[in-house]
């Protein structure tokens, strides 16, 4: 097993099936610019081969399917069916939820247990302003369908000072009523937001989120798994919520994440642009491919940082 000086290893792999997205959230990309799929994306078979290799070489035991928007690529159905057959402890999905109705049967039949859905506002207009499109009603219907099918649903909201801080409490109320765990993600200095005034203007820190919630609910901090990125809180008798506070409470020292982009690059750290092309290794005979991949993983682990610095990388390219 490959372990760094701080005892960190890769356990959890995020696979971006495509860079393309039907939304253009204004904290993710600039000026409503929709990212298209990369011309050299790996096929579903190649991505599955890469995951198989990473299970063997790095000891990956959890996979999260993400993007871009994973539900809009043809690769989603075959990838999901194949990844569920791999020896993994956990397979989960992150989606903007727009096409959950269309993909309901594929998701449920595959037997996936956990799904994270991004939802930044319950106000249809504000929702569309942030996402530069999309349809709130379809997302809400999708959430209900997943709950009815018995999946464990988490919601992800990125609070932005000038846009949706007024949704912090309504989204919590909505989630508590449905037994959903809501996670607030502190805005990250990525892509066009890297270290600039736009980031400072919209950054809404953990303490401010907690202050807003405190006006309506009593809560206490509770346990989260060791390698969880989220600080978890319990509202006694009502439920849980979490905050992924990469700025206020960095979690780099316990990070186990590795990312695979849709065009075949491994990223060892979300806050580091270094990347390592795995695509060429997939065609090598195993006795050559595996040691080469292990060398690559040593370098990728070396890319991990001690604190989140921000990066020009766009989240949807590397799988947020
Ligand atoms: N399309 C899918 C979705 O919307 O969930 C998966 C990809 S999206 C990049 C994954 C997550 O990254 C979303 O929850 C999104 O809110 C988050 N995200 C993107 N850019 C971010 C940023 N600069 N700061 C914080 N979260 C960000």
């Amino acid at each position: 097993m490959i372990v760094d000086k701080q005892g960190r290893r890769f356990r959890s792999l995020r696979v971006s099936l495509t860079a393309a997205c039907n939304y253009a959230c204004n904290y993710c990309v600039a000026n409503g610019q929709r990212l298209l799929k990369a011309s050299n994306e790996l096929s579903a078979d190649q991505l599955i081969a890469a995951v198989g290799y990473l299970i063997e070489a790095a000891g990956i035991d959890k996979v999260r399917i993400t993007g871009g928007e994973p539900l809009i690529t043809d690769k989603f159905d075959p990838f999901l069916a194949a990844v569920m057959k791999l020896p993994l402890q956990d397979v989960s999905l992150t989606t903007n939820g727009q096409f959950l109705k269309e993909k309901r049967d594929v998701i449920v039949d595959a037997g996936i247990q956990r799904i994270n859905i991004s939802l930044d506002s319950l106000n249809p207009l504000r929702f569309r302003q942030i996402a530069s499109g999309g349809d709130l009603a379809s997302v809400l219907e999708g959430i209900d369908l997943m709950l009815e099918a018995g999946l464990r649903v988490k919601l992800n909201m990125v609070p932005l000072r000038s846009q949706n801080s007024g949704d912090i409490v309504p989204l919590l109320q909505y989630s508590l009523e449905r037994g959903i765990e809501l996670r607030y993600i502190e805005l990250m200095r990525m892509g066009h937001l890297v270290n600039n005034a736009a980031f400072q203007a919209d950054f809404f820190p953990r303490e401010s989120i907690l202050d807003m919630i405190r006006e309506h609910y009593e809560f206490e901090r509770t346990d989260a798994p060791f390698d969880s990125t989220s600080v978890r809180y319990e509202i006694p008798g009502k439920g849980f919520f979490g905050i992924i506070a990469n700025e206020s409470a960095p979690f780099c020292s316990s990070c186990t994440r590795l990312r695979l982009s849709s065009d075949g690059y491994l990223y060892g750290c979300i806050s580091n642009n270094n990347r390592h092309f795995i695509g060429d290794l997939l065609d090598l005979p195993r006795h050559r491919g595996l040691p080469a991949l292990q060398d690559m993983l040593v370098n990728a682990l070396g890319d991990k940082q001690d604190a989140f610095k921000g990066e020009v990388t766009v989240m949807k390219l590397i799988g947020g």
Side-chain angles (χ1 to χ4, degrees):
M1 192 179 305
I2 301 159
V3 182
D4 75 2
K5 281 191 200 136
Q6 297 191 35
R8 294 181 292 198
R9 53 166 285 223
F10 293 127
R11 253 194 95 188
S12 168
L13 175 70
R14 291 176 174 235
V15 182
S16 175
L17 292 192
T18 179
C21 189
N22 50 325
Y23 287 12
C25 299
N26 56 28
Y27 52 80
C28 187
V29 288
N31 309 320
Q33 167 210 4
R34 276 195 168 60
L35 281 187
L36 304 173
K37 90 183 235 224
S39 53
N40 48 351
E41 283 194 349
L42 300 192
S43 66
D45 285 349
Q46 287 173 308
L47 288 169
I48 282 293
V51 177
Y53 250 137
L54 288 166
I55 291 173
E56 216 173 318
I60 292 295
D61 56 17
K62 294 194 226 170
V63 168
R64 174 169 293 281
I65 305 170
T66 178
E69 174 47 44
L71 300 191
I72 64 170
T73 164
D74 292 346
K75 285 184 256 177
F76 178 72
D77 298 14
F79 183 86
L80 178 61
V83 80
M84 293 302 287
K85 296 195 185 107
L86 293 178
L88 290 161
Q89 276 180 22
D90 186 49
V91 178
S92 55
L93 168 67
T94 298
T95 170
N96 60 34
Q98 179 78 42
F99 294 113
L100 280 172
K101 189 175 174 184
E102 289 78 357
K103 290 292 176 190
R104 184 221 170 263
D105 292 350
V106 176
I107 292 170
V108 174
D109 293 351
I112 198 164
Q113 305 286 319
R114 302 196 304 117
I115 184 165
N116 287 4
I117 302 168
S118 303
L119 180 58
D120 292 321
S121 179
L122 286 171
N123 174 309
L125 199 64
R126 205 173 302 125
F127 176 93
R128 286 184 64 80
Q129 276 164 355
I130 294 174
S132 309
D135 172 45
L136 175 62
S138 306
V139 178
L140 298 182
E141 188 183 356
I143 293 171
D144 287 342
L145 287 172
M146 293 298 105
L147 290 171
E148 278 159 31
L151 272 81
R152 228 176 92 209
V153 177
K154 281 189 182 168
L155 293 182
N156 288 338
M157 173 204 189
V158 181
L160 305 159
R161 185 179 295 283
S162 72
Q163 301 179 62
N164 62 349
S165 49
D167 284 284
I168 286 173
V169 173
L171 265 166
L172 181 57
Q173 192 180 349
Y174 168 91
S175 302
L176 293 171
E177 282 166 8
R178 288 162 181 78
I180 294 174
E181 189 162 327
L182 172 64
R183 291 173 337 152
Y184 303 97
I185 308 177
E186 273 187 356
L187 184 62
M188 299 185 198
R189 288 172 280 156
M190 296 196 67
H192 66 298
L193 291 182
V194 71
N195 299 329
N196 64 18
F199 170 78
Q200 294 303 339
D202 256 338
F203 179 65
F204 201 75
R206 175 175 68 166
E207 276 318 311
S208 304
I209 298 169
L210 292 177
D211 285 347
M212 285 190 115
I213 296 173
R214 207 170 276 120
E215 285 177 24
H216 301 266
Y217 297 101
E218 279 183 17
F219 56 84
E220 56 209 33
R221 194 164 163 170
T222 182
D223 288 343
F226 162 74
D227 61 349
S228 167
T229 52
S230 153
V231 180
R232 215 166 166 241
Y233 301 86
E234 181 171 8
I235 302 179
K238 290 195 169 17
F240 295 87
F241 69 93
I243 303 187
I244 302 179
N246 46 291
E247 292 284 332
S248 307
F251 38 83
C252 302
S253 61
S254 60
C255 179
T256 61
R257 275 161 201 76
L258 175 66
R259 290 177 159 83
L260 173 61
S261 68
S262 56
D263 52 354
Y265 288 93
L266 290 175
Y267 289 79
C269 175
I270 199 170
S271 178
N272 190 332
N273 228 0
N274 280 357
R275 57 186 199 166
H276 310 269
F277 188 57
I278 192 177
D280 290 340
L281 304 185
L282 303 176
D283 298 327
L284 293 178
R286 222 156 182 76
H287 70 277
R288 283 183 49 212
L290 215 50
L293 179 56
Q294 268 155 344
D295 289 345
M296 193 178 274
L297 286 165
V298 170
N299 292 331
L301 195 59
D303 293 338
K304 285 208 179 293
Q305 308 285 302
D306 296 330
F308 184 85
K309 302 188 316 299
E311 202 25 283
V312 290
T313 321
V314 176
M315 189 85 99
K316 65 164 67 172
L317 284 181
I318 60 167

